[in-house]
Amino acid sequence: KQAGNHGGTGYPQVRLLALVACGTRTLIDAVFGPTTAGETAYAPRLLPSLRTGMILLADRNFGAQKLVADIAATGAEVLVRLKNGRRMPVLARYRDGSYLSTLGPVRVRVVDCEITLTTTAGKHTGLYRLATTLLDHHRHPAGELAALYHQRWQIETAYLELKSTILGGRVLRARTPDGIDQEIYALLVVYQLLRTAMADATSTRYGIDPDRASFSIAWQTARDLVIQAAGVIADTVADLAGTIGRHVLADLLPARRLRISPRIVKRAISKYQARGPRIDRTSYKATTSIEILAPASP
């Protein structure tokens, strides 16, 4: 169990780390274990699943020199966010505003950018510092890399679907380490099967982005099939969409729009942290602008 201000958490916790494909959100690999080990301790166990031609998107916690070097050694490229205050040597400047630097033994391009979100409630500006092993600024302009990094949030949606949608707010039921292993693998298998069915279904229609497939509809349809014991015997005719896919295609989500919601404590444990009924729960339509910042002269 984790320690806390009120005597610790009610249940033991497990840490799970996953590699997820941005396009379909299918799982490439996953590892898990006690929370006594951090994310960077589990990350090396995922590296054997990286291949040449992949671009790994990672958040600031994974910007360690050794880890980036180990990722680069697999043949995969990396695009990772760094802390804004981290000092990076400027070895060469490029026309797109990025510059050549080093992260330990690895040569990287660094992109400093200012991202502004504009909504009816005002503007919010944040600074991002990205490092990548994609050194060719002609093939991979700084602006495109900054836009690509936003796709890293796909994995947060995958974690939400594993923890909330499938489990429905319930905790794991097993009471032994072996039972926990079995239950988590079952969750991962169910998630992977649903995502595969969703990807197969959207591939039957030209130009449909897998993002428009609803995970909730796929999950509910699969659950109903199990309850009704329907579709137990497969038809002799190949059906790429299947029952789950047809339900997904019948109620596609609209094309993804850029929306933001204030990041605040909505359910405070302590009453002193609560903000009462004045919490802004509105989701705002937003427009975004990216400005590449040239490095300062040494």
Side-chain angles (χ1 to χ4, degrees), residues 48-224:
S49 295
L50 296 177
R51 299 287 185 271
T52 300
M54 292 183 177
I55 302 176
L56 177 66
L57 311 180
D59 67 15
R60 284 177 291 189
N61 195 40
F62 300 96
Q65 294 181 3
K66 185 179 185 307
L67 182 57
V68 171
D70 290 343
I71 294 171
T74 67
E77 307 291 350
V78 62
L79 178 60
V80 61
R81 188 179 177 187
L82 304 178
K83 294 181 179 179
N84 293 333
R86 190 166 183 171
R87 293 187 178 183
M88 301 295 292
V90 180
L91 304 181
R93 291 180 171 86
Y94 301 116
R95 288 190 174 185
D96 65 350
S98 63
Y99 59 92
L100 183 66
S101 187
T102 58
L103 200 57
V106 181
R107 285 203 162 197
V108 296
R109 267 173 67 216
V110 177
V111 178
D112 288 325
C113 57
E114 182 179 82
I115 299 178
T116 302
L117 287 172
T118 305
T119 69
T120 55
K123 292 184 178 181
H124 178 74
T125 301
L127 297 176
Y128 273 64
R129 167 167 286 179
L130 306 175
T132 180
T133 53
L134 297 166
L135 303 182
D136 190 340
H137 65 285
H138 295 293
R139 292 185 60 192
H140 311 286
E144 291 185 8
L145 292 176
L148 172 64
Y149 184 75
H150 182 70
Q151 297 295 320
R152 192 202 67 80
W153 286 95
Q154 300 265 18
I155 198 167
E156 305 297 345
T157 304
Y159 286 144
L160 174 68
E161 290 161 351
L162 279 166
K163 292 192 295 185
S164 179
T165 306
I166 295 180
L167 284 174
R170 299 182 299 273
V171 298
L172 301 177
R173 297 173 295 176
R175 296 176 178 269
T176 64
D178 288 344
I180 291 293
D181 287 354
Q182 185 183 40
E183 196 167 353
I184 291 177
Y185 278 122
L187 281 171
L188 294 172
V189 168
V190 169
Y191 173 87
Q192 185 76 334
L193 289 172
L194 291 173
R195 275 291 169 192
T196 301
M198 293 162 66
D200 286 348
T202 53
S203 70
T204 63
R205 291 193 184 179
Y206 178 76
I208 296 295
D209 193 314
D211 279 347
R212 295 187 58 191
S214 169
F215 187 85
S216 295
I217 290 176
W219 161 243
Q220 292 163 5
T221 304
R223 182 189 58 190
D224 292 344

Side-chain angles (χ1 to χ4, degrees), residues 15-72:
R15 190 183 307 282
L16 184 142
L17 202 65
L19 279 174
V20 169
C22 283
T24 59
R25 292 188 215 166
T26 49
L27 287 167
I28 299 173
D29 200 354
V31 295
F32 56 89
T35 56
T36 48
E39 290 178 329
T40 53
Y42 287 112
R45 292 167 53 187
L46 294 173
L47 299 189
S49 295
L50 296 177
R51 299 287 185 271
T52 300
M54 292 183 177
I55 302 176
L56 177 66
L57 311 180
D59 67 15
R60 284 177 291 189
N61 195 40
F62 300 96
Q65 294 181 3
K66 185 179 185 307
L67 182 57
V68 171
D70 290 343
I71 294 171

Side-chain angles (χ1 to χ4, degrees), residues 265-281:
V265 177
K266 295 181 175 66
R267 294 184 181 180
I269 296 175
S270 169
K271 64 181 180 180
Y272 299 105
Q273 296 174 342
R275 301 189 182 185
R278 292 177 292 179
I279 294 177
D280 184 3
R281 301 179 184 272

